[in-house]
Every structure is written in structure tokens, then in C-alpha cells.
Amino acid sequence: MTESQLLMTTETSLAVIETIQELDGATPAELAAALELSESTVYKHLYTLAKHGYIASNGDEYRLGARFYHIGMYVRNRSKVYELAGKYVIELAEQSNEESDFGIEENGRIVTLFDSVGSSAKPSSRLNNYEYMHTTAIGKAILARLPESRVDTIADRWGFPELTEETITSRSELDVELERIRERGYAINDQESIPGKRVAGVVAEGPNGAVIGGFTISGPSYRIEDTDLHQEFPDILQRVVADFESELVSQGLL
């Protein structure tokens, strides 16, 4: 098998995995139709993925396997910095009585590593831990700190998918929003990724100014007022994230 054939095989396997996730489980026929492949080709990829524990079958339907959970836990816990962030997510949830998250930027997307809910919040209804930066408070807070050339690269790669009526859909809108974030020191996601969800977020950084990731506090629009979104949440975030940054230094993690 040539190098180009190996690359094509790998890309097809990844497409199978992503499609199973998008469809929340799928039969070989459904995968073949979605990917425009023959069922025999799909079966070959399913066999290999199942053999190594990446997918599992229930009758004719295939779902992602538990091995992805173990890989995800490894990624989340591979860094003592991220492990410490998890403790402060719980602190934020307790102080706000709402939901709190910690996420990082990876390949121009936001990956949520930790979340916690306070006494007033319901368990997270998040369906996706891999999100577009322009739709999230963490993403926009990080974008506001990146060089313009890096923002260009991310925008060119992922574009501006519209998830709700409030989503930013152009570079000009994003630039205005990023300048607003730099001026006030925090970002918001006001129903831009999920209808009915209001979020405030700030970045965490090391002593040299390098961005580590971002923390958020969020809640439902029927309960979260503008004063919560623009005053209480940012105040809690900035205070607790400063403690997180201080502990990183005191523990010698940076």
C-alpha cells in the first residue's frame, strides 16, 4: 500500500468515527449513504475500529466505544495545570451557583476539559465538547488575545458557522466583538451557541502572558439577567482565575 493510500484509509476511518458521532450511532447502510461509500468499504473500516475498541455494535447499529473515554481522560489529566483547573471549575460553580467550564484552544477549536454545576444549576446539557471559537465565551476571550495572523488562520479554516440567530457570522462582526472584549476584560456568549444559554468567560494566563485556557460561568436566559452576565459573573471569574494563576506559580507548574 502506498503512502497516499494509507493516508486515504486513515482519513476514511476518521470520517467514519466523526459520522457515527454526528448521527449518534449509525448502521453500515446509513454510514455508506452519509459518506458516499460502498457498504463493503464501510464494513472494512468498522471491523478494524471495532477490533481495537474504538466502536461497539448493538445489533446493526454502531456507536463510539469506551476507549475514547479513556483517551479523553488521559488528555484531560496529562497536565497538572489542567488538573488544577478542574479544582477551580468547582470553585466557580460553588460561588456562582451556576455552571462553570474550563476549556482550551486546540487546532482553532475549543475543547472543554472540565465542567461543574452549582446548586441552582441543572446538570450540563452540552452535546459537544469541541466547539467553534466564534460561538463561545472561552473562544472569543482567547481570540481577543491572539495575534491577528492567528485569528486569520482560524477564521479561514473554520469560517463562521451560524448555530443560532445570535451567532457572529462575519469577520467584521468578530473584530468588533474582540475589541469590545479587550476593552472590558471578559467575553460573553449570549445565546450564540445554544438558544437560552448566557455565558461569561475570561482567559487564564501564565506569568509570561501565554494563554493557558479559559473559564466560564453560565446559566439559562430566563434566570440570568444582564447584571449577572456583565457584573457578577465577570467579578467572580476574575477573582477566582487570579487565584488559579497564583497557585500555578506557587506550585511551580509554570
Side-chain angles (χ1 to χ4, degrees):
M1 185 178 291
T2 66
E3 183 176 344
S4 61
Q5 288 173 320
L6 283 170
L7 179 60
M8 184 177 298
T9 298
T10 301
E11 288 181 343
T12 301
S13 289
L14 292 172
V16 168
I17 290 169
E18 291 173 354
T19 304
I20 290 173
Q21 181 185 18
E22 290 170 3
L23 298 178
D24 193 26
T27 65
E30 290 169 338
L31 290 168
L35 296 169
E36 298 182 346
L37 297 171
S38 68
E39 284 194 47
S40 62
T41 297
V42 169
Y43 268 115
K44 291 176 184 177
H45 289 273
L46 291 173
Y47 173 81
T48 302
L49 291 168
K51 178 181 177 181
H52 294 282
Y54 290 104
I55 61 172
S57 63
N58 181 14
D60 290 336
E61 186 177 71
Y62 286 82
R63 293 182 175 274
L64 298 187
R67 188 164 186 184
F68 280 107
Y69 173 80
H70 294 292
I71 293 172
M73 292 298 291
Y74 164 76
V75 171
R76 190 178 80 165
N77 296 322
R78 74 181 186 270
S79 166
K80 292 294 183 182
V81 172
Y82 298 158
E83 186 177 335
L84 184 63
K87 183 183 84 170
Y88 280 90
V89 166
I90 295 173
E91 176 71 17
L92 285 166
E94 290 177 347
Q95 288 201 26
S96 65
N97 293 321
E98 299 292 348
E99 182 177 353
S100 176
D101 298 331
F102 171 78
I104 61 172
E105 181 266 324
E106 193 169 82
N107 298 319
R109 299 285 288 272
I110 293 299
V111 182
T112 301
L113 299 183
F114 293 97
D115 66 86
S116 182
V117 293
S119 59
S120 297
K122 296 180 180 180
S124 176
S125 59
R126 176 186 292 106
L127 299 176
N128 187 4
N129 285 344
Y130 189 58
E131 300 176 277
Y132 296 107
M133 296 186 73
H134 72 287
T135 68
T136 68
I138 291 176
K140 290 190 288 182
I142 292 176
L143 285 170
R145 305 292 292 277
L146 296 179
E148 187 171 353
S149 59
R150 176 68 176 140
V151 178
D152 288 339
T153 299
I154 293 170
D156 290 343
R157 179 175 183 183
W158 299 109
F160 299 92
E162 184 176 358
L163 304 186
T164 76
E165 293 181 354
E166 305 301 326
T167 304
I168 289 172
T169 56
S170 71
R171 180 59 191 273
S172 59
E173 286 182 273
L174 179 65
D175 287 341
V176 171
E177 180 71 359
L178 296 185
E179 185 58 35
R180 187 180 296 120
I181 292 167
R182 295 181 189 108
E183 291 173 355
R184 67 190 178 195
Y186 65 92
I188 64 166
N189 163 9
D190 197 355
Q191 307 187 68
E192 296 164 56
S193 58
I194 301 175
K197 187 173 184 178
R198 308 187 83 188
V199 191
V202 302
V203 296
E205 62 183 18
N208 63 354
V211 173
I212 297 166
F215 290 87
T216 65
I217 298 173
S218 62
S221 57
Y222 68 81
R223 188 169 66 237
I224 304 307
E225 305 289 344
D226 285 350
T227 53
D228 299 313
L229 192 64
H230 291 283
Q231 294 179 28
E232 183 178 351
F233 287 0
D235 287 347
I236 295 172
L237 282 161
Q238 289 165 352
R239 182 174 64 252
V240 174
V241 172
D243 292 340
F244 166 70
E245 293 169 342
S246 296
E247 186 168 354
L248 286 175
V249 174
S250 66
Q251 289 195 21
L253 298 178
L254 293 178

